[in-house]
Amino acid sequence: MPWLEIIGWIGSGLVVWSLMVARVTKFRWMNLAGSSIAAAYNGVIGVWPFMAMNAIIAVIDIYWLVRLYREKHDAAAFEVVEVAPSDAYLRRVLDVHAADVAAFAPAFRADADTEARSAWLVVRGDETVGVVVVRAREQGEAKVELDWVTPRFRDFTPGEFVHGSSGIFADKGFDRVVVEGAPASEERYLTRVGFTRDGDRWVRPVAA
């Protein structure tokens, strides 16, 4: 098989593979790479309709990548909506994503006692992208039981908004938020959103 044809197959393969990727930014990068290679290949062999189509797809990918990276740290892109811990829609979200939630937070139990819990949905437009659940403790402490983002938006950082400028914990009267049993893979995220290690747990003061 000529090397040029191999390159064409690589481009086509990347485009197809990208369609099976859940994460938004990864999908766009793979689709951009595949469509760019396919556009160049079709240009070399003179198949102009397919060259034009793939070139347009590449431009569209670039547009969305620029927009996605602009919104990645933009608090205005996300909104936090408080819901009752027993809210039917919250339970629906947790049920639909039960396997992923269990893999991400094995200790979390959706059917645990909800009396001391507070819960919020993180939304982007009309799409739910995350769930935050905390349990109130004595002396103004809130223990995070779940801080989860859908796989599609896991490349984003809505947690920066939740723990930063949203004010949801101050509104509840909490003066500190704690995370216990965090795996090593979460340490970078916790540091980025303002937590500091305190023994075997992570603590973040809540600004008034």
Side-chain angles (χ1 to χ4, degrees), residues 105-142:
F108 177 74
R109 296 293 179 268
D111 57 355
D113 175 29
T114 61
E115 185 175 349
R117 273 181 172 175
S118 297
W120 296 268
L121 298 172
V122 184
V123 298
R124 182 177 182 267
D126 61 355
E127 183 175 1
T128 299
V129 303
V131 175
V132 177
V133 178
V134 303
R135 183 173 296 278
R137 288 178 165 177
E138 295 180 355
Q139 301 178 336
E141 184 172 281

Side-chain angles (χ1 to χ4, degrees), residues 3 7 15 17 38 50 52-53 55 57 59 71 73 99 101 107 118 120 170 172 177 180 191 196 207:
W3 65 268
I7 292 175
V15 171
W17 189 11
F50 284 101
M53 178 188 72
I57 291 173
V59 171
E71 294 180 352
H73 300 283
V101 171
S118 297
W120 296 268
K172 285 289 184 179
V177 180
E180 298 176 349
T191 301
T196 55

Side-chain angles (χ1 to χ4, degrees), residues 17-27 151-153 155:
W17 189 11
S18 72
L19 299 176
M20 297 183 288
V21 174
R23 296 193 179 189
V24 179
T25 52
K26 188 175 181 180
F27 157 70
R152 176 172 152 80
F153 283 90
D155 291 332

Side-chain angles (χ1 to χ4, degrees), residues 11-36 57-58 60-65 68-69 151-156:
S12 298
L14 283 171
V15 171
V16 173
W17 189 11
S18 72
L19 299 176
M20 297 183 288
V21 174
R23 296 193 179 189
V24 179
T25 52
K26 188 175 181 180
F27 157 70
R28 287 295 175 187
W29 277 114
M30 290 181 64
N31 197 265
L32 172 61
S35 58
S36 298
I57 291 173
I60 293 171
D61 285 327
I62 291 171
Y63 165 79
W64 279 108
L65 282 167
L68 289 169
Y69 278 103
R152 176 172 152 80
F153 283 90
R154 205 154 285 168
D155 291 332
F156 289 71

